[in-house]
Amino acid sequence: MADQPTAAERFIQGILPENPVYRQLLGLCPTLAVTNSLMAAVTMAGAVGFVLLCANVIISLIRNLLKPYLRIVVFTLTIATFVTIADRFLAAYLYQMSKTLGPYIPLIIVNCIIICRCEVCASKQSPFVAAADAVGQSLGFGLALSSIAAIREILGTGSLFGLRVMPAVWPDWVIMVLPPGAFLTFGLLLGTINWITARKGGKKIA
């Protein structure tokens, strides 16, 4: 359709303007659950990116065959296929990380980000545009998870990717790697982004 965003626009929008976590507030369950370490966050972002890209392309290829009353079922079955592939790959080649992430990899099946992109973009536009949209949204999701995880890991353990980056005298803030730390970090980052956006838009900050 002529009024639909182009591939470049879809790609750019997914990273910051329509960031799935900070702007759309989607996928918050894994965002809060797996960001106590940067390695876990990057692995989760990679798994979501793989599933999103594959699902978007497949749905776009069959978009003219989709029936309105069956589209959600088709979306879910398509997503579930690639989630199974990602889950088995992690279990085979990154077993310890697979155990660390636990049920959150299978739960990608019901991740609102992927279903949303299938509905909004893949079911309406070409495979190339759908792929660009998936890559942009995946980068945005990865950026959000990495930013939260980096702060939590540095403050909570004094390390990054398991390597010590803070001085030995640094008192680890254990709360940061616990669930309250996830909510605190996410809230502060979200508030900061909203404040910056409001300032750029010329809105009055209370």
Side-chain angles (χ1 to χ4, degrees), residues 105-205:
I105 293 296
L107 282 174
I108 294 174
I109 294 172
V110 292
N111 192 312
C112 294
I113 298 172
I114 304 177
I115 296 176
C116 173
R117 300 327 297 176
C118 287
E119 175 69 18
V120 171
C121 177
S123 63
K124 297 178 174 66
Q125 294 190 263
S126 70
F128 179 70
V129 177
D133 178 75
V135 174
Q137 292 287 329
S138 298
L139 289 175
F141 184 64
L143 177 64
L145 262 64
S146 297
S147 60
I148 296 171
I151 292 173
R152 293 182 66 194
E153 187 173 359
I154 290 174
L155 297 180
T157 66
S159 61
L160 200 60
F161 283 118
L163 301 175
R164 189 78 186 180
V165 295
M166 298 296 283
V169 296
W170 172 259
D172 295 343
W173 299 5
V174 180
I175 191 174
M176 296 304 292
V177 294
L178 298 175
F183 286 95
L184 178 62
T185 305
F186 175 65
L188 290 174
L189 287 175
L190 182 61
T192 300
I193 291 170
N194 286 338
W195 180 76
I196 293 172
T197 302
R199 286 201 65 180
K200 285 184 176 180
K203 296 180 181 178
K204 182 179 179 180
I205 307 298

Side-chain angles (χ1 to χ4, degrees), residues 23-177:
R23 307 309 297 169
Q24 301 182 65
L25 300 180
L26 299 175
L28 296 187
C29 179
T31 297
L32 297 174
V34 306
T35 52
N36 57 348
S37 78
L38 189 53
M39 184 60 73
V42 170
T43 304
M44 173 59 74
V48 170
F50 165 75
V51 175
L52 178 54
L53 176 61
C54 295
N56 257 22
V57 171
I58 293 298
I59 293 300
S60 179
L61 288 171
I62 64 172
R63 66 188 185 280
N64 295 325
L65 301 176
L66 291 173
K67 304 298 182 183
Y69 55 89
L70 289 176
R71 71 187 192 287
I72 300 300
V73 175
V74 175
F75 294 168
T76 304
L77 290 175
T78 304
I79 294 167
T81 299
F82 293 108
V83 169
T84 302
I85 294 173
D87 184 41
R88 294 300 85 203
F89 178 87
L90 288 175
Y93 296 102
L94 295 169
Y95 180 73
Q96 191 54 51
M97 183 56 66
S98 176
K99 297 293 287 184
T100 299
L101 294 174
Y104 294 104
I105 293 296
L107 282 174
I108 294 174
I109 294 172
V110 292
N111 192 312
C112 294
I113 298 172
I114 304 177
I115 296 176
C116 173
R117 300 327 297 176
C118 287
E119 175 69 18
V120 171
C121 177
S123 63
K124 297 178 174 66
Q125 294 190 263
S126 70
F128 179 70
V129 177
D133 178 75
V135 174
Q137 292 287 329
S138 298
L139 289 175
F141 184 64
L143 177 64
L145 262 64
S146 297
S147 60
I148 296 171
I151 292 173
R152 293 182 66 194
E153 187 173 359
I154 290 174
L155 297 180
T157 66
S159 61
L160 200 60
F161 283 118
L163 301 175
R164 189 78 186 180
V165 295
M166 298 296 283
V169 296
W170 172 259
D172 295 343
W173 299 5
V174 180
I175 191 174
M176 296 304 292
V177 294

